[in-house]
Amino acid sequence: MSAASDLPFLSGDTSTSRLMRGMDWSGPGLGPPQQWPQSLRSVVSLMLGSAFPMFVAWGPSLNTLYNDAYGEIMGAKHPAGMGQPFLDIWHEIRVELVPLVARAVGGEAFFMENLPLRMRRHGYDEETWFTFSLSPVRDEAGAVAGFFCACTETTGMVLAERHQRAEQERLQSLFSQAPGFIAIMRGPDHVFEIANQAYVQLTGFRDVIGKPLALALPEVVEQGFVKLLDQVFTTGEPYVGRSVRLMLNHERDAPPTEAWLDFVYQPLRDAKGAVNGVFVQGHEVTELQRIQQALLAFSNSIPAIAWVAAADGPLERFNSQWQAYTGQTAESALGNGWMAFLHPDDRVVARENWARVRGGNQEWQVDYRLRGAGGAYRWFKARAVPQLDADGRVLRWFGTTTDIEDAKKNHQALRDADRQKDEFLATLAHELRNPLAPIRAAAQLLGSPASQPAAREHAVEVIGRQVGHMARLLDDLIDVARITQRRVVLKKVPLAVDDLVESVLETVRPLAQAKRHVLVATIGGDGLQLVADPLRLAQVLSNLLNNAVKYTDEGGRIGFDVQVEVDWLSFTVTDSGIGLSQAAIENIFTMFAQEKSALDRSEGGLGIGLALAKGLVELHGGTVSAFSEGPGRGSRFVVKLPYSADRQQVVASPAATLPAPGPPQARTVLLADDNRDAVDVLAELLRMDGYLVHTANDGREAADLAMRLRPDVLVLDIGMPGLNGYEVARLVRAQPWGDRPLLIAATGWGQDDDRQKALAAGFNRHLTKPFDPQQLSAWIAEFPVPESDVDKGLP
């Protein structure tokens, strides 16, 4: 009969069952299995039928029987260890096992968890951990005959737990030392479960763990953070905050301090997917926010529109100047919203420019028009510079958009002024050459022995007329310069408007009759009076009427209307002439402006008459305006001057008259000028008036003659070689007799400061070239022959 049928407790088909059946148990120890007591048989049967590692140590030597699972734990000690004394099998850990064995054979049942043992079961020592229970086993007499052990090796688990703890400690260290703040809150009340050092520092080192947010940080409740956490906890949707303001009390009873945060609230879920907490992570960006606020304040302080754009073009930020100009909020302008304010004709240019620069990393600029809040477009210049990364790739663009509307207009105005200057110089050359031709011809006629008296008389008239024309041109230029420099002093007197109108009409009536114009004047009231400079006002009105006649075809109609309009007296000149374009009306009162359609009708002039008229009218406190329905439809010019109905004694006439020269008296006159022709001709004219005239052609000669002759009158050019006119005058005044002569400065410089220089040098009078010789003769005639006080005032 087989052992399996004799020993049913060993009948199992495990490797250790077969091992036990095949072993020779005749030696000392347990003896043959047939003799094993029933108590041992029962334990062995239970053990061999289990897949859990088990062994039993029996008898005085604690011979060991074990199952397949424990055989795997024994390693190389199996199968030789079957039936061997327990402490011999594990001799390398005998010291650790003896106390445990003593407790078990002493009748104590106990449990050990993760006991560390340094075992040698594969030929080398290794750290192992076991969890097991030891229970005493009694024989049929009730005595403890051995002990039973159910065990499991937990080495892998212990090592895994060690690794997990190390990893957790490392993560905890990273968590605690992370520069950003981190916290985990659980439950609907948001109880702090974890908070790292940065979070604790942010909250003022308060103890928050285990407390609801509303209790730990009560000041944040009213700031909306609890509401945000409730929203995340309820919806399961994360929340991202950018530059959010937080006010915290870092110290008890201290005022709250400001902090700015970037953070995320991320929902945490349990095994079933339900939200059971919120993960908080973020960074304090207070310093960055302050820098940004400072930069924003700086950008808002500059007059230009400042902006930041993404690398591919969409706008990310504007300063306040954008909304101030366009009326569009910065939020609406972000992205490509700003392009709605681009001029339609410039949008393609803007898009093409972005497309061109998108792939590059160089600064760029472009001009375009933007619509303002009022609907008008103005020109702007956009400039942008890139922010680059280490590889030269564009991260974003920083730019400004600057209003250049006025600069463009000024540039165009400068170009127009330059063009007008060139046109003026050409016109001036033309206008000065025109009278020179008849003057030269008349001079040749006068010099010809064959000329008849009538021809000579006509030549003299031509020269006088043409010189007068040139003098008027120069006077106009001087007047414009004086008005520009605010040096014209008006001589206002009460005027009779009737007399003023008649005086002006007398100057224009011959021209109008020559062109067969109908000239109609209307005065809206009797006995009207006006306080004004008669010469200057007549100059203005004559200019307007002369222009009307000049630029109206033959047989046209010229109107001159005077009306009272409350506190203003208006003078209106209308014509049926060539009319004005809108562009001409806008510029007609500027220097050198002439309507192009009028150039072929020009009858002489520099294009400064209307600028001069405007300046004189404004000096009177009035206004002058131009109107026209377009080219070919006539023009209307209106002068308005302040008016008062108060009556005053008026002057006889606005016309200027020169004093009639008295009978010539014997006087010695010294003329000094480096222009020999000018001084010789003037000398002959004065000799014809009965004066004793001497001439000099430089300052030194003039000074020598003055010392010898002690003349009654000295007419000195200022710009002479040797000594200038000022120096000669000072030399004369320094002589004992030097306070007697009349000193007259004759110069081409006619500004007020030129007159003041002459007065300071000792001159009595000042003549601006070209001057009328009759004026000079009249001044000399007025000068008394006897010695008297010298007239110190300059006209």
Side-chain angles (χ1 to χ4, degrees):
M1 183 176 293
S2 67
S5 58
D6 293 342
L7 303 171
F9 70 93
L10 294 179
S11 61
D13 194 26
T14 64
S15 62
T16 50
S17 296
R18 290 192 296 272
L19 177 61
M20 289 182 188
R21 290 196 299 267
M23 286 183 60
D24 182 7
W25 297 96
S26 59
L30 296 176
Q34 293 83 356
Q35 299 176 6
W36 293 353
Q38 184 59 44
S39 55
L40 177 58
R41 290 185 180 192
S42 297
V43 173
V44 170
S45 175
L46 172 66
M47 178 183 68
L48 292 177
S50 175
F52 199 79
M54 297 178 180
F55 71 88
V56 60
W58 189 269
S61 299
L62 296 176
N63 298 88
T64 304
L65 302 174
Y66 52 87
N67 63 3
D68 287 0
Y70 191 80
E72 294 177 3
I73 290 175
M74 295 181 64
K77 295 179 182 292
H78 172 71
M82 182 66 78
Q84 297 300 314
F86 178 71
L87 295 177
D88 290 346
I89 296 172
W90 300 109
H91 59 86
E92 69 273 18
I93 54 174
R94 186 184 184 94
V95 174
E96 289 86 353
L97 295 180
V98 166
L100 300 177
V101 170
R103 292 172 59 187
V105 297
E108 179 184 356
F110 58 92
F111 175 81
M112 300 293 295
E113 185 176 13
N114 295 330
L115 178 66
L117 298 170
R118 188 173 184 81
M119 304 173 70
R120 179 177 289 272
R121 50 185 177 174
H122 298 291
Y124 57 87
D125 293 342
E126 58 181 305
E127 296 291 337
T128 64
W129 285 264
F130 286 86
T131 294
F132 56 89
S133 65
L134 292 182
S135 303
V137 180
R138 300 179 184 275
D139 57 15
E140 282 69 15
V144 176
F147 64 87
F148 171 79
C149 177
C151 69
T152 182
E153 184 174 357
T154 58
T155 300
M157 183 182 69
V158 170
L159 292 178
E161 288 178 351
R162 279 189 173 184
H163 176 73
Q164 184 177 11
R165 281 197 301 272
E167 187 66 16
Q168 287 177 340
E169 290 173 358
R170 185 180 70 86
L171 292 176
Q172 182 64 34
S173 176
L174 292 176
F175 177 85
S176 178
Q177 298 175 18
F181 56 83
I182 302 173
I184 293 177
M185 301 177 186
R186 295 292 184 182
D189 294 332
H190 317 299
V191 177
F192 282 97
E193 182 179 284
I194 299 175
N196 71 341
Q197 183 68 19
Y199 195 98
V200 173
Q201 182 177 356
L202 175 68
T203 59
F205 298 98
R206 281 182 271 187
D207 182 16
V208 298
I209 303 301
K211 298 177 181 178
L213 176 63
L215 179 62
L217 304 173
E219 63 267 37
V220 307
V221 175
E222 297 300 324
Q223 298 179 51
F225 291 93
V226 173
K227 184 177 179 180
L228 288 175
L229 287 167
D230 290 343
Q231 177 182 322
V232 174
F233 191 87
T234 302
T235 65
E237 296 294 330
Y239 174 82
V240 178
R242 300 288 187 190
S243 296
V244 179
R245 185 172 181 261
L246 171 69
M247 299 297 293
L248 279 178
N249 301 100
H250 284 86
E251 297 180 10
R252 181 173 296 178
D253 300 326
T257 58
E258 181 183 64
W260 295 83
L261 310 176
D262 283 352
F263 64 90
V264 60
Y265 287 163
Q266 184 71 37
L268 297 175
R269 300 180 184 272
D270 59 18
K272 295 181 180 180
V275 176
N276 65 358
V278 177
F279 174 78
V280 182
Q281 190 275 329
H283 293 82
E284 184 176 357
V285 292
T286 302
E287 289 303 317
L288 178 61
Q289 179 69 18
R290 288 172 180 166
I291 292 172
Q292 289 178 341
Q293 287 176 338
L295 289 175
L296 181 60
F298 171 74
S299 68
N300 286 339
S301 71
I302 64 177
I305 298 169
W307 47 267
V308 180
D312 58 347
L315 273 294
E316 297 177 341
R317 179 171 294 180
F318 274 103
N319 70 344
S320 61
Q321 300 301 338
W322 174 263
Q323 184 170 358
Y325 175 69
T326 66
Q328 183 190 34
T329 64
E331 292 75 13
S332 301
L334 298 182
N336 293 317
W338 67 277
M339 296 189 73
F341 288 81
L342 266 177
H343 193 286
D345 296 343
D346 299 334
R347 291 175 186 173
V348 174
V349 174
R351 291 191 183 97
E352 289 178 350
N353 186 74
W354 269 117
R356 178 173 55 83
V357 304
R358 190 171 293 145
N361 58 2
Q362 302 297 317
E363 61 182 88
W364 55 268
Q365 65 182 36
V366 63
D367 294 353
Y368 48 65
R369 286 160 289 182
L370 288 174
R371 187 177 73 248
Y377 285 92
R378 292 179 67 86
W379 278 101
F380 285 80
K381 181 180 291 293
R383 285 191 176 94
V385 295
Q387 180 188 8
L388 306 177
D389 63 13
D391 297 324
R393 291 187 296 268
V394 176
L395 296 175
R396 59 184 55 85
W397 296 92
F398 294 93
T400 57
T401 301
T402 306
D403 189 328
I404 59 171
E405 178 75 18
D406 294 338
K408 271 184 171 286
K409 288 181 179 178
N410 292 339
H411 179 68
Q412 185 61 42
L414 289 174
R415 292 179 61 183
D416 292 343
D418 188 59
R419 175 183 55 78
Q420 290 175 353
K421 177 206 65 174
D422 293 340
E423 292 176 357
F424 163 71
L425 291 176
T427 303
L428 177 61
H430 173 268
E431 293 299 326
L432 291 178
R433 287 194 189 99
N434 279 346
L436 288 178
I439 289 174
R440 177 175 291 175
Q444 290 176 350
L445 181 62
L446 289 173
S448 173
S451 61
Q452 298 299 315
R456 296 171 65 85
E457 183 178 351
H458 177 68
V460 171
E461 292 176 354
V462 167
I463 292 174
R465 186 164 52 250
Q466 296 302 323
V467 169
H469 175 66
M470 295 176 68
R472 285 192 298 275
L473 293 177
L474 296 177
D475 286 342
D476 281 352
L477 285 175
I478 293 171
D479 281 344
V480 169
R482 288 172 177 169
I483 291 173
T484 302
Q485 299 170 13
R486 299 292 177 183
R487 293 183 175 180
V488 170
V489 178
L490 298 179
K491 299 177 181 178
K492 293 184 178 182
V493 295
L495 299 176
V497 174
D498 291 348
D499 293 343
L500 172 68
V501 171
E502 182 57 33
S503 173
V504 172
L505 290 176
E506 284 178 0
T507 65
V508 74
R509 191 173 282 118
L511 298 175
Q513 292 173 348
K515 298 186 71 172
R516 294 184 292 109
H517 290 324
V518 176
L519 179 60
V520 178
T522 303
I523 300 177
D526 296 328
L528 297 179
Q529 295 182 6
L530 181 68
V531 177
D533 185 320
L535 295 178
R536 294 302 190 181
L537 185 53
Q539 184 180 359
V540 170
L541 298 176
S542 296
N543 180 282
L544 296 179
L545 283 167
N546 282 331
N547 282 347
V549 172
K550 184 187 302 183
Y551 297 116
T552 300
D553 292 333
E554 288 191 7
R557 181 181 177 86
I558 309 297
F560 186 28
D561 184 59
V562 183
Q563 298 291 335
V564 175
E565 299 178 1
V566 190
D567 296 330
W568 298 91
L569 188 64
S570 68
F571 298 84
T572 303
V573 177
T574 58
D575 64 64
S576 58
I578 63 174
L580 296 167
S581 66
Q582 185 60 39
I585 291 176
E586 293 175 358
N587 298 293
I588 199 165
F589 292 106
T590 59
M591 282 285 287
F592 317 130
Q594 287 184 324
E595 172 71 329
K596 287 183 168 49
S597 62
L599 293 179
D600 59 350
R601 300 168 177 259
S602 176
E603 299 175 13
L606 301 175
I608 62 176
L610 290 177
L612 178 58
K614 180 175 184 289
L616 291 173
V617 169
E618 289 176 348
L619 286 175
H620 279 84
T623 63
V624 58
S625 307
F627 305 91
S628 177
E629 295 182 4
R633 305 186 67 176
S635 305
R636 178 165 54 95
F637 287 81
V638 179
V639 173
K640 291 187 177 183
L641 297 177
Y643 172 76
S644 173
D646 294 340
R647 296 279 179 160
Q648 302 181 49
Q649 184 177 356
V650 300
V651 298
S653 171
T657 59
L658 293 176
Q665 302 181 37
R667 288 174 177 78
T668 302
V669 179
L670 173 60
L671 301 179
D673 197 316
D674 58 344
N675 186 326
R676 293 178 181 271
D677 291 338
V679 76
D680 291 344
V681 171
L682 183 58
E684 287 301 321
L685 289 173
L686 293 178
R687 290 184 184 116
M688 291 170 61
D689 288 338
Y691 302 120
L692 182 60
V693 182
H694 299 269
T695 63
N697 298 123
D698 62 56
R700 180 62 63 186
E701 182 182 4
D704 292 342
L705 283 173
M707 299 304 146
R708 286 192 294 109
L709 299 173
R710 298 186 180 183
D712 301 305
V713 180
L714 288 87
V715 182
L716 304 176
D717 180 34
I718 297 301
M720 293 185 295
L723 297 174
N724 62 41
Y726 298 136
E727 293 170 327
V728 175
R730 293 188 187 101
L731 284 174
V732 169
R733 293 302 189 201
Q735 303 305 313
W737 50 271
D739 60 345
R740 180 180 59 81
L742 171 67
L743 267 61
I744 300 175
T747 174
W749 303 102
Q751 300 299 322
D752 285 346
D753 56 349
D754 299 315
R755 297 174 184 272
Q756 295 302 320
K757 288 180 182 178
L759 178 62
F763 286 99
N764 305 102
R765 302 290 179 94
H766 185 281
L767 283 173
T768 303
K769 296 179 181 180
F771 55 83
D772 187 345
Q774 292 183 7
Q775 175 71 76
L776 175 61
S777 182
W779 281 355
I780 296 174
E782 291 174 353
F783 187 68
V785 175
E787 293 186 0
S788 61
D789 293 336
V790 178
D791 177 14
K792 296 294 184 179
L794 292 180

